Amino acid sequence: MQLYIYFLGTGGSWPSSERNVSAIAVKRGREVLMFDCGEGTQRQIQKSPLSYMQITKIFITHFHGDHFLGLPGLIQTLQLNDRKEDLHVYGPPGMKKLLHQLINLGYFAPAYSMIGHDIKGGEELHFDGYDVRCIYASHNVPALSYSLAEDTRPGRFNKKRALELGVPEGRMFGKLQRGNSVEVNGKVITPDMVLGDTRPGRKITISGDTIPYDAFIEFARDSDVLIHDATADSSLEEKANEYGHSTARQAAEIALKAGVGRLYLTHVSPRYRDAKPLEKEARDVFPESYVANDFMEVEVKLKKQDRKND
Ligand SMILES: [Zn+2]
Ligand SMILES: [Zn+2]
C-alpha cells in the first residue's frame, strides 16, 4: 500500500505569499488523513493531486488559528459537493465544542455527520491497518503531537518450507500468510512454521507547535519521517522557545536522538523568504533534514529489505 505525505501549508502564524499556514495530508491507499487545517487549506488541496472528498479523519494539534481556521470553509465545501460519509475530527479537549461552534457559523445545515472527538495526551486510536497516537506537546496552549504507525506486518512467507511440510500451493498458502493455521493430512501447520519474523510498518510523527521536549524523543523513536516545528533559526532560539516553538537546529537534535529516517522542517516563520539557512543549520546536526515547502510530496516507502514480497 502506498503512503504519501503532502505538505499543504508549511508556514507559521499567518499565510505569506510563499507559504500557507499549517496543513499536512497523509494519503494511505485511498484514504486521506489531515493533520491540522489552517485557513485556505481547501484551496491548497485543490491545487494538489488530492481530493478533499477522500478525507476521512482530521487531526488538529491545537486551537491557534493557523492550525484550525480552515475547518469551517472545508466542511461547508464538502457539503456543497454532496458528501455523505461521516467526517471525524480529533483534537485536544475542547475539539467537540469547537467543531459544534464552527458548524453553527452562518446558514449551514449539514447533510452529513461531523463527529468531534476530544482526545488526551497518551491516547491511542486504532484504525484499520494503523494506529494514531498522541502525546501532549510543550506549547503555550494545550497541544498534541501525533504519530501514525502502521500495524506490524506478518513475516515473509517461506514457500520452500511450506512445500516441504506438504502444504499444497494455493488457498492454504494464503491462509498461512494471513496468520491462520491449516491442516494437511491430519497434521496442523501453524503460521510460525512458515513465516519469518514480523516486520514493522511505517511510522510518521508530527510534532505540531512545540519547544523541544524529552518525552517526544521516545514518542518519535524510529519514525521513517519526522515533521517538526522549526519556526526560526538558532540566532532567535530564546524568542522562539519563549513563544513555544523550536529552532531548526533543535528539531535536528530531536531527529538525531529519536533515530528517525528523515526530518522535515515546518511552521517556518513568515520572516524567512528563503528558508535555506534553516535547512543548513539542521543538516549540520542531522544530514537527512529538509525544509518542507507547500505542495512538496514525499513518498514513505517500506524499508528496503522488506519490499520484495509487497
Ligand atoms: Zn502555529
Ligand atoms: Zn501554536
Side-chain angles (χ1 to χ4, degrees):
M1 186 177 282
Q2 288 188 314
L3 184 66
Y4 281 93
I5 298 166
Y6 295 88
F7 289 98
L8 297 172
T10 56
S13 306
W14 60 82
S16 67
S17 54
E18 286 82 22
R19 296 172 189 277
N20 204 51
V21 280
S22 292
I24 299 162
V26 173
K27 187 163 193 281
R28 184 174 181 275
R30 288 187 55 75
E31 186 180 26
V32 174
L33 311 177
M34 294 281 309
F35 291 87
D36 281 335
C37 187
E39 174 193 343
T41 294
Q42 56 170 326
R43 192 122 196 287
Q44 299 292 93
I45 295 171
Q46 278 161 353
K47 289 188 197 170
S48 80
L50 300 167
S51 158
Y52 41 55
M53 298 305 267
Q54 292 179 314
I55 299 170
T56 53
K57 304 171 187 96
I58 300 176
F59 299 88
I60 300 294
T61 58
H62 66 297
F63 308 140
H64 276 149
D66 55 327
H67 296 259
F68 80 91
L69 284 177
L71 280 176
L74 178 65
I75 59 186
Q76 296 210 13
T77 300
L78 292 177
Q79 160 96 344
L80 296 173
N81 283 275
D82 290 329
R83 183 176 177 109
K84 299 280 181 287
E85 299 77 23
D86 295 351
L87 177 70
H88 293 270
V89 184
Y90 301 83
M95 186 71 249
K96 260 177 158 162
K97 188 174 159 220
L98 180 71
L99 186 65
H100 177 80
Q101 289 166 335
L102 297 176
I103 292 168
N104 288 288
L105 282 175
Y107 297 105
F108 175 54
Y112 68 99
S113 294
M114 278 156 276
I115 303 124
H117 303 265
D118 289 357
I119 52 173
K120 294 193 187 83
E123 274 193 57
E124 284 185 21
L125 307 166
H126 305 290
F127 301 112
D128 187 17
Y130 62 91
D131 287 348
V132 172
R133 300 182 188 127
C134 64
I135 183 175
Y136 281 120
S138 188
H139 197 38
N140 47 13
V141 297
L144 295 170
S145 302
Y146 287 103
S147 92
L148 180 154
E150 290 182 311
D151 293 351
T152 305
R153 294 171 303 137
R156 195 165 295 140
F157 183 65
N158 187 335
K159 183 177 171 185
K160 190 165 158 260
R161 179 84 187 113
L163 291 171
E164 278 167 11
L165 289 165
V167 183
E169 206 164 338
R171 203 175 52 83
M172 285 195 186
F173 272 28
K175 267 190 105 172
L176 285 162
Q177 283 165 340
R178 286 190 297 274
N180 302 305
S181 299
V182 298
E183 203 178 309
V184 184
N185 304 326
K187 206 169 70 184
V188 176
I189 313 290
T190 56
D192 61 292
M193 295 161 80
V194 292
L195 295 178
D197 291 340
T198 53
R199 296 167 293 168
R202 291 159 287 193
K203 181 175 174 183
I204 298 167
T205 304
I206 298 167
S207 74
D209 287 6
T210 191
I211 56 171
Y213 66 104
D214 280 348
F216 186 76
I217 297 166
E218 272 319 302
F219 183 72
R221 176 75 57 208
D222 297 333
S223 297
D224 297 86
V225 171
L226 167 62
I227 301 165
H228 202 285
D229 179 328
T231 301
D233 70 274
S234 293
S235 70
L236 297 167
E237 183 175 305
E238 211 175 309
K239 199 150 191 88
N241 291 175
E242 190 191 323
Y243 287 98
H245 294 294
S246 303
T247 65
R249 170 177 281 273
Q250 287 174 324
E253 281 161 0
I254 295 281
L256 186 68
K257 287 180 192 159
V260 307
R262 271 174 291 163
L263 166 66
Y264 288 90
L265 306 166
T266 192
H267 204 270
V268 174
S269 162
R271 75 169 60 237
Y272 301 99
R273 297 219 99 163
D274 172 16
K276 281 284 166 202
L278 298 180
E279 192 169 82
K280 192 188 168 304
E281 73 167 39
R283 283 186 184 178
D284 286 345
V285 176
F286 186 75
E288 285 295 306
S289 299
Y290 306 88
V291 169
N293 293 312
D294 287 17
F295 305 113
M296 190 185 252
E297 180 181 323
V298 172
E299 184 177 7
V300 188
K301 292 186 175 164
L302 288 161
K303 289 191 181 65
K304 237 189 183 120
Q305 66 271 26
D306 295 344
R307 283 172 55 207
K308 252 188 239 157
N309 292 354
D310 290 298

